[in-house]
Amino acid sequence: FGVRNSALNMAETATETGKAFAKLPASVKPGVVTGSALTDLLDAAKEQGYAIPGVNIVGSNSINSCMEAAAKYGGPIMVTFSKGGGQFIAGKSVPNDADEASIAGTIAGAKHVHEVAELYGVPVVLHTDHCQKAWLPWIDGLLAASEEHFEKTGSPLFSSHMLDLSEEPLEENIGICKSYLEKFAKVGILIEFELGVTGGEEDGVDNTDVDSSRLYTQPEEVFYAYEQLSQVEGGAFTCAASFGNVHGVYAPGNVDLQPIILYNSQEYIKEKIGSDDDKPMRFVFHGGSGSSVEDIQYAIGAGVVKMNIDTDTQWAFWDGVRAYEAKYHDYLQGQIGSPEGDDKPNKKYYDPRMMLRAGEESMAARLVKAAEDLKCVNVLN
């Protein structure tokens, strides 16, 4: 499929058109994408039939792997911070009773992305993952940082935030989302909301024992959310509707995915609002592990513009580290002494950068494969 080898190559074609990327709206440029540029990017994905990988990260190594992969496959990337991931970036030894570590770490990671993203020559979306009702103070802290950043630069620090209030009644879920969207819209932040429940477990969110009926969202619920959030002036949103998705790793065939729910929801909204747009809602896909490529691509056809990836990239990073240790095992048993001689130093093998780089490369390779499945290859130029 001819993935690109450098950010420079990706920009060559677009230079002739006066846009940063020939296949994307002029508003979309290399680096962090926010506001109208973000909605332009998501709408381009919806119209052109691909989904952006949304990858959970835990530090600069996994952040850089995301952007390295995007430069290779020639497409956008969504760097996603969880509350736990933010805490890990700040340091597990520091207090987090009032979410101070989660807030500080997530902000620190976002600032890292802002500093280096343009170097990779790709559009980068800065997103946060599942935020339950009890975790809203985390989002409040991040919003304050975006408001400060907006005052200085005219853009928010974060591109988008996900509020996962699916455990609450529908009206309360959407009511809280609407109140936050009113704040987000003032600084150009998009909201992602969840309807129904994504099964399985991910980063402190455990839905392994949830009633199976809650894994499938109804079109009427999707329309209710669309109608309510559309009332917010300048508001932008995506919907994580449940259609059998499950977090975690599962063998193919063990997940009963029903992406037809997304098609039915689009048709329902279209009829209700009298739209000519066959896909008025921007959907996102959580819990793709165990889903076939065919089901994933069928969901993309229904307006899915982003798919979350976590379990597979965690394994890929570890697998890279594991392979590095296996390859250089005999050089990693002491500071001095190797197959090359009892007095030979091993510093260049146990330098942490060596194993971490191996993890980065393995994770980036897995993301290139994910981009292929999501039809997100060579979509810039």
Side-chain angles (χ1 to χ4, degrees), residues 81-99:
F81 296 84
S82 66
K83 183 171 176 286
Q87 180 187 11
F88 190 81
I89 291 171
K92 292 287 285 186
S93 66
V94 301
N96 198 38
D97 296 339
D99 296 328

Side-chain angles (χ1 to χ4, degrees), residues 313-378:
T313 46
Q314 286 180 342
W315 172 260
F317 196 100
W318 155 248
D319 200 37
V321 174
R322 180 204 57 75
Y324 176 83
E325 191 283 332
K327 182 176 181 179
Y328 297 108
H329 177 82
D330 293 343
Y331 294 84
L332 298 169
Q333 303 311 303
Q335 289 183 285
I336 303 292
S338 73
E340 298 175 16
D342 291 342
D343 61 345
K344 298 294 184 182
N346 295 316
K347 186 178 187 304
K348 68 178 181 180
Y349 296 103
Y350 64 76
D351 182 333
R353 290 172 293 184
M354 300 300 291
M355 65 173 181
L356 289 172
R357 179 59 186 152
E360 289 177 353
E361 290 175 330
S362 180
M363 179 175 168
R366 179 62 184 85
L367 281 172
V368 171
K369 174 61 171 64
E372 293 177 47
D373 295 344
L374 297 174
K375 303 194 286 187
C376 194
V377 172
N378 293 337

Side-chain angles (χ1 to χ4, degrees), residues 255-271:
V255 176
D256 184 19
L257 209 62
Q258 297 291 333
I260 189 65
I261 288 172
L262 304 183
Y263 285 88
N264 292 342
S265 296
Q266 295 284 29
E267 183 63 27
Y268 189 86
I269 296 172
K270 178 185 176 181
E271 291 180 1

Side-chain angles (χ1 to χ4, degrees), residues 66-85:
C66 291
M67 295 185 290
E68 177 179 350
K72 288 180 176 179
Y73 63 69
I77 187 75
M78 187 173 292
V79 173
T80 306
F81 296 84
S82 66
K83 183 171 176 286

